[in-house]
Amino acid sequence: MKLFSTNDKTNIVDLRTAVLKSLPADKGLYMPLHIPELDKRFIENIDSYSFVEIAFIVSSTLLGEYIPPSDLYSIVSKAINFPAPVKSITTNISTLELFHGPSLAFKDFGARYMAELMSYFTKKGESKITILVATSGDTGGAVAAGFYDTPGIDVLILYPSGRVSALQEKQLTTLGKNISACEVNGSFDDCQALVKEAFLDHELNKKYNLSSANSINIARLIPQSFYYFEAFKQLKNKSNVVFCVPSGNFGNLTAGLFSKKMGLPVQRFIAATNKNDVVPRYLETGTYSPLESVSTISNAMDVGAPSNFSRILELYKSDWASIKKDIVGFSFTDEETKRAMQHVYKNHNYICDPHGAVGFLAAEEFLKSNNGKQVVFLETAHPSKFLDVVEPCLETKVEVPARLASLANKTKKAEVLSPAFDDFKSYLLNR
Ligand SMILES: *Cc1c(COP(=O)(O)O)cnc(C)c1O
């Protein structure tokens, strides 16, 4: 598999470089040079494949001969070891539950696959890697769980102070071993800026072999295309399928576009956002204007400058009209989100987390003018990750899965930092 930088098409690297470096020096993003189509018979017979088999076939089609099939099969089966069930909510709306992994969020797919790939590549003599990751909540938890105790890899997580839920913070700050956390007095965008600047800093790169685990790493994106196929497999009626993706950095949606490009018969994608609505506004006006992020109850989507947007532009050669053909966007307020959580609970006896609720709202909105489609919205996190929002809103207790509940008694360990790069840099140099 060969990849190029979105800022310079002549900057071509192999998969190993893209995975270990994460970000090209020209500040672009790595994109596959070619996204191959899957064998049509695979799609026709998709019902007969297990999730791991689907993940293996999609992986090997994308990656080509780059990793020997038996090694790739082992990577895939270690990474994709939990299910992604589709549950029906209304006649036309169902949900794809992506929260059955170790950190209870869809990011477990990307984090686990990337940890396996990186560990595979570093086994071949690479020196120790330090992964820097900025998180608005769920990325950090998934990366921490995915990389915990992985030999040869240290992880440093940056999160915005006071803007992640209590249990999310525990997921970031209590594991220990090769996982450390920095609590930044700023926003998620500040955290992301610190990470980006660190990658470009000469001194830091001399001391550390830096890599990233954000959705900018192509190894995060690839496995996120698997579950679109897995969801499609589970649908009894396979026509008029539309996926609705609660979005922040747009990695999840971009992976969906990859799956369509590989031949999955999806009619459209819905970009569902909270008030951080730069992409829905781009879809409406043709003008892309990134903004400061604003805080919402669906905080994993509080992103004002989505990092994968340039990949979407690249996929469509920046052609607004063809982007609009494939993606439609809607954004919602926190009030609307809470009402949707109540509505889905009361009328359909299903508990959505705030991110999934934004997806449900967008699905309903889309169906108003698109009769006869079936919309699958992605439920990106388990509702128990957002107890402080969900329980008062629904006036009910939400069951916390044991693997999350056990964190409540663990002690938080984090380095408190200002959003100034110099502080972060001296912390890293003196560690
Ligand atoms: C990360 C995250 C999102 C946004 O996903 P992107 O790929 O960044 O668009 C949505 N919901 C939850 C729960 C998340 O953790």
Side-chain angles (χ1 to χ4, degrees), residues 338-409:
K338 284 185 194 165
R339 275 202 298 276
M341 284 163 58
Q342 289 162 349
H343 168 86
V344 175
Y345 181 54
K346 282 206 189 100
N347 296 285
H348 308 293
N349 198 28
Y350 187 84
I351 299 183
C352 280
D353 95 298
H355 306 79
V358 171
F360 178 84
L361 279 167
E364 270 197 324
E365 194 61 35
F366 175 80
L367 285 167
K368 281 182 193 163
S369 48
N370 290 274
N371 245 328
K373 307 287 182 206
Q374 37 166 345
V375 184
V376 181
F377 74 89
L378 278 49
E379 182 43 288
T380 47
H382 191 278
S384 66
K385 292 194 81 171
F386 303 94
L387 284 183
D388 11 8
V389 177
V390 179
E391 288 191 339
C393 176
L394 301 185
E395 296 175 342
T396 188
K397 277 273 163 210
V398 176
E399 201 184 320
V400 182
R403 59 193 182 283
L404 193 59
S406 66
L407 291 178
N409 305 320

Side-chain angles (χ1 to χ4, degrees), residues 239-413:
S239 54
N240 296 316
V241 178
V242 173
F243 281 107
C244 177
V245 190
S247 294
N249 262 322
F250 282 79
N252 218 354
L253 197 137
T254 304
L257 299 173
F258 279 22
S259 72
K260 183 167 167 44
K261 194 129 196 183
M262 292 184 80
L264 187 69
V266 184
Q267 287 196 340
R268 286 185 101 174
F269 290 88
I270 304 171
T273 73
N274 57 32
K275 275 294 123 189
N276 296 282
D277 61 349
V278 282
V279 171
R281 271 201 275 142
Y282 164 79
L283 293 167
E284 206 178 293
T285 63
T287 309
Y288 177 66
S289 16
L291 295 168
E292 280 282 298
S293 62
V294 296
S295 294
T296 73
I297 56 168
S298 46
N299 63 37
M301 313 198 298
D302 293 352
V303 181
S307 51
N308 282 290
F309 187 70
S310 60
R311 283 194 169 118
I312 297 180
L313 287 181
E314 188 57 50
L315 274 176
Y316 292 89
K317 312 280 170 250
S318 299
D319 180 25
W320 180 54
S322 32
I323 295 179
K324 268 165 67 95
K325 245 185 240 154
D326 278 1
I327 312 173
V328 51
F330 299 105
S331 96
F332 300 93
T333 64
D334 281 354
E335 280 316 307
E336 291 168 316
T337 306
K338 284 185 194 165
R339 275 202 298 276
M341 284 163 58
Q342 289 162 349
H343 168 86
V344 175
Y345 181 54
K346 282 206 189 100
N347 296 285
H348 308 293
N349 198 28
Y350 187 84
I351 299 183
C352 280
D353 95 298
H355 306 79
V358 171
F360 178 84
L361 279 167
E364 270 197 324
E365 194 61 35
F366 175 80
L367 285 167
K368 281 182 193 163
S369 48
N370 290 274
N371 245 328
K373 307 287 182 206
Q374 37 166 345
V375 184
V376 181
F377 74 89
L378 278 49
E379 182 43 288
T380 47
H382 191 278
S384 66
K385 292 194 81 171
F386 303 94
L387 284 183
D388 11 8
V389 177
V390 179
E391 288 191 339
C393 176
L394 301 185
E395 296 175 342
T396 188
K397 277 273 163 210
V398 176
E399 201 184 320
V400 182
R403 59 193 182 283
L404 193 59
S406 66
L407 291 178
N409 305 320
K410 297 203 176 157
T411 314
K412 161 182 162 182
K413 196 163 174 267

